[in-house]
Amino acid sequence: MQSISGGVCAAKGYTTNGVLCRIKPTRSTPDLALIVSETPANAAAIYTQNLVQGAPITVTKSHLQNGKAQAVIVNSGNANTCNADGIAVAQRMCELVQEHVGIAGGDVIVASTGVIGQPLPVQKIEAGMAELVAGMGRENDKAAAAIMTTDTFPKQSAVEFTLPCGTLCRVGGMAKGSGMIHINMATMLAFITTDLAISSEMLQQTLKECAEGTLNMVTVDGDTSTNDMCCVLANGMAGNAEITGEGAALDAFRAALMTVLTELSRMLARDGEGATKLLICQVSGANTVQDCRLAAKAVVASSLVKAAMFGGDANWGRELCALGYSGADLDVTKIGVRFSSAAGDITVCENGTGVPFCEDVAAKILAEEEITIHIAAGNSEHAATAYGCDLTYDYVKINGDYRT
Amino acid sequence: MQSISGGVCAAKGYTTNGVLCRIKPTRSTPDLALIVSETPANAAAIYTQNLVQGAPITVTKSHLQNGKAQAVIVNSGNANTCNADGIAVAQRMCELVQEHVGIAGGDVIVASTGVIGQPLPVQKIEAGMAELVAGMGRENDKAAAAIMTTDTFPKQSAVEFTLPCGTLCRVGGMAKGSGMIHINMATMLAFITTDLAISSEMLQQTLKECAEGTLNMVTVDGDTSTNDMCCVLANGMAGNAEITGEGAALDAFRAALMTVLTELSRMLARDGEGATKLLICQVSGANTVQDCRLAAKAVVASSLVKAAMFGGDANWGRELCALGYSGADLDVTKIGVRFSSAAGDITVCENGTGVPFCEDVAAKILAEEEITIHIAAGNSEHAATAYGCDLTYDYVKINGDYRT
């Protein structure tokens, strides 16, 4: 497997573009994106678990009931959620794809991200469609920019891998954050494309499996958004025999999808609103993988841990505290805590009790932009990794007046 | 019932004091407090639900097994948690009360608050005991100051009420916050005294009931601390016949305790680390009181809601979003949202959809220091109130480098 460029256009048979419609009047970068597959594709998606779900989620769920899709239309600047005309607007966005590209509206995935509860001015999208469609090509950079809200950089990843049968395949994707991101998925938008031939059922199953260890392990602020989804299109243009069950071919795809989703998850966490540091928590040795996941997520989700990391303060009691309320089944008298970064490695707690350490060395380690918090929770073979970021003044600033 | 002064000394037969021991070397205000009842008292307590529990919690639980206590010793500046000698130090603090006051160590409640994982220098407490005991009296202001950590003001409350039999009773208390405060109790220290005669069993039951609607509905940052507790001493010096079951006398006490705990809860939330505003969320009409509580707590715990309130931004989609992931059983198409404060009242959402409102009026309402978010969730008679605060730059500042 190797990293390649191209994002959602890395795989065969996909084109994309992004244009500026000014859905939010002050916007100066693209805010509408379209991804089109040359041929019909099998499709799968996972969605937010929030009871309040945006109209695009409702429409996409309906369109994906048959496991097929051929295009994705997505806007930023307005979430089209909690609006009386929300469903009609989301459906209209799909119809616009039908009118301009000739793909049936029922084969279109629709997504929106931005402010909740303000009507989406769909006429702005109507006005932008001609330019959007005219420019379709390998414009993955424009598309990745178009889905950004408070993101500070676009998030793309792609890999190439070879199936056991010798066929070369690609998986690529793009994602956006960066607030309202929390565990249990659907906490961001992520669009993945592949030219692999795979059944909708196996695609759904593999997406779910891979997201549990990646997108579902990202937390920025504990808020699970109303709108977010990760979808995958698989158009089969790589030419392999369709994957319909477990085996070496599925394993190869799973590894590729894990790589892309892990990469996007790291970018989402690093670009958390106001973040200056990527925090990674690796928990090993708890009784079950679920305990490891609960523990890892609680640590990177703790406001106190996040603020301490912003300040570069090795206040490990906060990790212990978070582990204690995580809901994970842990023997707190056995916990070890270690911090590492490019600047080194330091153990600060063993068997649930502090050990003497050099504050200067700890400060240097915690001054880096990527910090890993290692939690040793026992002797089992289970492990999990969660991704988060520090809590900074800028998070408060960004969210204190988001709408203006 | 009427408010009176005196805090933990408002009830008959209690004395207290606070002195400076410099447990944290830079401290310049009292950091050690003692409360003593003239006579043995029935006692009850509730504790943190964190798996990591401070040594004082372990020792206090053991001492309260018989439902009796006569004194409380508490220090700030060090949590005595995750230390190898923690239990021995907590026991030593109780022994010091025995040596200096003559109350058996087993009848002493001990509590500590501050940094986790640094040994507590108990010799500093030993050195301060003589001064502490010599000054015992109606020094409730000193005691309330001694238990503060990052609190910006001491928190005390007391009321006087009359039992149906005509006996005058008092309930008073003090509490400290102000970070690491979250739902599910024991997320702060609160010490309550009363001169009521009541059995330990009824005292425990009433404390638990009252805390569920008050202390357990306060959240500052979602972190449940390792150390915190609320305990009540009831020494019976009011002279009433001991309350041993339900009835009008217990109802009178319950109302008084609710008043004191509500008052302390509001102070704790208002003094959340870095807070500039008290946020109150009142949810009514959900199917059960538990649903109302889950919903109310999710709203005041949401970082996005808290940051929006700091910015005075009526971005009600964030309330909807929090309700959606709260875990409460809600029909999100029926939700109404209204903001109120001393400056007025404004409805921003009905039936899960935004309604037109004047942004200028909303901004004036949200500029006040106490804001109530009203959530109408249906037609049932159930309701709940949660207490929180806004998320500010100063929260990040306070927590970015807490240890120095």
Side-chain angles (χ1 to χ4, degrees):
Chain A
M1 191 190 323
Q2 71 176 57
S3 289
I4 56 175
S5 63
V8 291
C9 294
K12 271 190 194 167
Y14 294 94
T15 53
T16 192
N17 193 23
V19 297
L20 173 60
C21 301
R22 289 201 173 76
I23 293 162
K24 197 170 178 177
T26 51
R27 181 112 174 176
S28 58
T29 51
D31 55 5
L32 179 67
L34 180 65
I35 307 168
V36 169
S37 171
E38 205 175 308
T39 59
N42 287 335
I46 50 178
Y47 306 95
T48 180
Q49 295 180 359
N50 198 306
L51 287 184
V52 178
Q53 302 203 336
I57 297 278
T58 307
V59 171
T60 294
K61 279 183 179 169
S62 154
H63 289 183
L64 283 187
Q65 277 178 346
N66 64 353
K68 310 269 180 202
Q70 198 174 345
V72 180
I73 186 165
V74 49
N75 71 276
S76 58
N78 188 304
N80 189 22
T81 298
C82 298
N83 297 327
D85 65 351
I87 299 289
V89 165
Q91 283 170 337
R92 178 72 188 132
M93 288 172 67
C94 298
E95 283 165 18
L96 287 169
V97 177
Q98 180 166 340
E99 289 168 15
H100 287 264
V101 188
I103 290 168
D107 289 335
V108 178
I109 289 168
V110 56
S112 298
T113 178
V115 65
I116 295 172
Q118 293 182 0
L120 194 167
V122 74
Q123 67 282 3
K124 292 192 180 177
I125 293 180
E126 287 167 350
M129 283 302 293
E131 182 195 348
L132 180 70
V133 171
M136 290 295 286
R138 285 179 65 84
E139 300 291 357
N140 52 288
D141 291 345
K142 288 185 187 165
I147 63 174
M148 290 165 61
T149 53
T150 50
D151 300 67
T152 66
F153 59 84
K155 296 159 188 78
Q156 302 184 76
S157 173
V159 297
E160 192 168 68
F161 64 104
T162 306
L163 290 173
C165 63
T167 304
L168 198 63
C169 292
R170 296 132 212 108
V171 178
M174 62 182 188
K176 61 81 49 178
S178 63
M180 271 205 185
I181 289 187
H182 195 42
I183 52 177
N184 279 330
M185 173 56 214
T187 52
M188 69 287 290
L189 295 178
F191 305 101
I192 312 292
T193 56
T194 179
D195 43 21
L196 185 79
I198 180 169
S199 69
S200 303
E201 292 72 26
M202 295 315 295
L203 191 61
Q204 180 70 38
Q205 179 190 313
T206 309
L207 172 61
K208 192 158 179 288
E209 274 173 39
C210 291
E212 271 173 14
T214 55
L215 297 178
N216 284 357
M217 295 296 284
V218 177
T219 179
V220 167
D221 55 16
D223 277 272
T224 305
S225 163
T226 55
N227 274 56
D228 300 343
M229 69 165 86
C230 172
C231 65
V232 190
L233 298 183
N235 66 9
M237 289 182 72
N240 64 300
E242 185 174 281
I243 297 172
T244 57
E246 291 292 337
L250 187 66
D251 290 346
F253 172 58
R254 188 185 285 121
L257 185 59
M258 273 301 284
T259 301
V260 168
L261 291 181
T262 300
E263 186 72 12
L264 292 175
S265 295
R266 288 171 56 94
M267 292 182 200
L268 286 164
R270 174 62 184 83
D271 199 23
E273 287 178 339
T276 67
K277 295 175 183 177
L278 171 63
L279 304 185
I280 298 172
C281 181
Q282 297 185 339
V283 175
S284 64
N287 292 331
T288 66
V289 69
Q290 190 55 24
D291 288 319
C292 293
R293 284 179 179 165
L294 284 171
K297 288 190 285 196
V299 169
V300 294
S302 159
S303 292
L304 290 168
V305 168
K306 289 154 60 73
M309 290 295 125
F310 172 57
D313 184 12
N315 194 346
W316 58 268
R318 293 180 175 181
E319 276 78 9
L320 268 280
C321 177
L323 293 168
Y325 65 71
S326 66
D329 179 23
L330 300 172
D331 180 349
V332 294
T333 67
K334 298 284 166 57
I335 299 284
V337 181
R338 188 163 61 86
F339 297 117
S340 75
S341 74
D345 194 303
I346 195 161
T347 296
V348 292
C349 171
E350 286 177 346
N351 296 316
T353 302
V355 294
F357 64 90
C358 172
E359 292 276 358
D360 289 347
V361 171
K364 273 187 194 124
I365 290 168
L366 299 184
E368 295 290 316
E369 281 192 16
E370 180 176 331
I371 297 164
T372 303
I373 304 165
H374 305 264
I375 306 293
N379 297 317
S380 83
E381 76 284 13
H382 299 298
T385 303
Y387 306 91
C389 60
D390 54 346
L391 175 63
T392 70
Y393 301 123
D394 280 350
Y395 176 85
V396 178
K397 187 171 180 186
I398 290 166
N399 285 296
D401 195 10
Y402 174 65
R403 295 184 308 161
T404 58
Chain B
M1 191 189 325
Q2 71 176 56
S3 288
I4 56 176
S5 62
V8 292
C9 295
K12 272 190 193 168
Y14 294 94
T15 52
T16 191
N17 193 21
V19 296
L20 174 60
C21 301
R22 289 201 174 76
I23 293 161
K24 196 171 181 176
T26 51
R27 180 114 174 174
S28 59
T29 52
D31 55 5
L32 179 67
L34 179 66
I35 305 168
V36 169
S37 171
E38 205 175 307
T39 59
N42 287 335
I46 50 178
Y47 306 96
T48 180
Q49 296 179 359
N50 198 307
L51 287 184
V52 179
Q53 302 202 337
I57 296 280
T58 307
V59 171
T60 294
K61 280 183 179 171
S62 155
H63 289 184
L64 282 187
Q65 275 177 347
N66 65 353
K68 310 267 179 205
Q70 198 174 347
V72 179
I73 185 166
V74 49
N75 72 276
S76 57
N78 189 303
N80 190 21
T81 298
C82 298
N83 297 326
D85 65 351
I87 298 288
V89 165
Q91 283 169 337
R92 177 72 186 130
M93 287 171 68
C94 298
E95 283 166 17
L96 287 169
V97 177
Q98 180 166 343
E99 290 169 15
H100 287 265
V101 188
I103 291 169
D107 288 334
V108 178
I109 289 168
V110 56
S112 298
T113 179
V115 66
I116 296 173
Q118 293 183 2
L120 194 167
V122 74
Q123 67 283 3
K124 293 193 178 177
I125 293 179
E126 288 167 350
M129 283 303 292
E131 182 193 347
L132 180 70
V133 171
M136 290 296 285
R138 285 179 65 86
E139 300 291 356
N140 51 288
D141 291 344
K142 287 185 187 166
I147 63 174
M148 290 165 61
T149 52
T150 51
D151 300 66
T152 65
F153 58 84
K155 295 160 188 73
Q156 300 184 77
S157 173
V159 296
E160 194 168 68
F161 64 104
T162 307
L163 289 174
C165 63
T167 305
L168 199 62
C169 293
R170 295 129 213 111
V171 178
M174 63 181 187
K176 58 82 49 178
S178 64
M180 271 206 184
I181 288 189
H182 195 42
I183 53 179
N184 280 330
M185 175 53 216
T187 53
M188 69 286 293
L189 295 179
F191 305 101
I192 312 292
T193 56
T194 179
D195 43 21
L196 185 77
I198 180 171
S199 69
S200 303
E201 293 71 27
M202 295 316 295
L203 191 61
Q204 180 70 39
Q205 179 190 311
T206 308
L207 172 61
K208 192 157 178 288
E209 275 173 36
C210 292
E212 272 174 14
T214 56
L215 297 178
N216 284 358
M217 295 296 284
V218 176
T219 179
V220 166
D221 54 15
D223 278 271
T224 305
S225 164
T226 55
N227 273 55
D228 300 341
M229 70 166 81
C230 171
C231 66
V232 190
L233 298 183
N235 66 9
M237 289 183 69
N240 63 300
E242 185 175 280
I243 297 172
T244 57
E246 291 292 338
L250 188 65
D251 291 345
F253 172 58
R254 188 184 285 120
L257 186 58
M258 273 301 284
T259 300
V260 169
L261 292 181
T262 299
E263 187 71 14
L264 292 175
S265 296
R266 288 171 55 95
M267 291 182 200
L268 286 164
R270 175 62 185 84
D271 199 25
E273 286 178 340
T276 67
K277 294 175 184 177
L278 170 63
L279 304 184
I280 298 172
C281 182
Q282 296 185 338
V283 175
S284 63
N287 293 330
T288 67
V289 70
Q290 190 54 26
D291 288 317
C292 293
R293 284 179 178 164
L294 284 172
K297 288 190 283 196
V299 169
V300 294
S302 159
S303 293
L304 290 169
V305 168
K306 289 154 60 74
M309 289 295 124
F310 172 56
D313 184 11
N315 194 347
W316 57 269
R318 293 179 175 179
E319 276 78 10
L320 267 281
C321 177
L323 293 168
Y325 65 71
S326 66
D329 178 22
L330 299 172
D331 180 348
V332 293
T333 67
K334 299 284 166 57
I335 299 284
V337 182
R338 188 164 61 87
F339 298 117
S340 74
S341 74
D345 194 301
I346 195 162
T347 296
V348 291
C349 171
E350 286 177 345
N351 296 317
T353 302
V355 294
F357 63 89
C358 173
E359 292 277 358
D360 289 347
V361 171
K364 272 186 196 125
I365 290 167
L366 299 184
E368 294 291 316
E369 281 191 17
E370 178 176 332
I371 297 164
T372 303
I373 304 166
H374 306 263
I375 306 293
N379 297 316
S380 83
E381 76 285 13
H382 299 300
T385 302
Y387 305 90
C389 61
D390 54 346
L391 175 63
T392 70
Y393 301 122
D394 280 350
Y395 177 85
V396 178
K397 187 171 181 185
I398 290 166
N399 285 297
D401 195 9
Y402 175 64
R403 294 185 311 162
T404 57

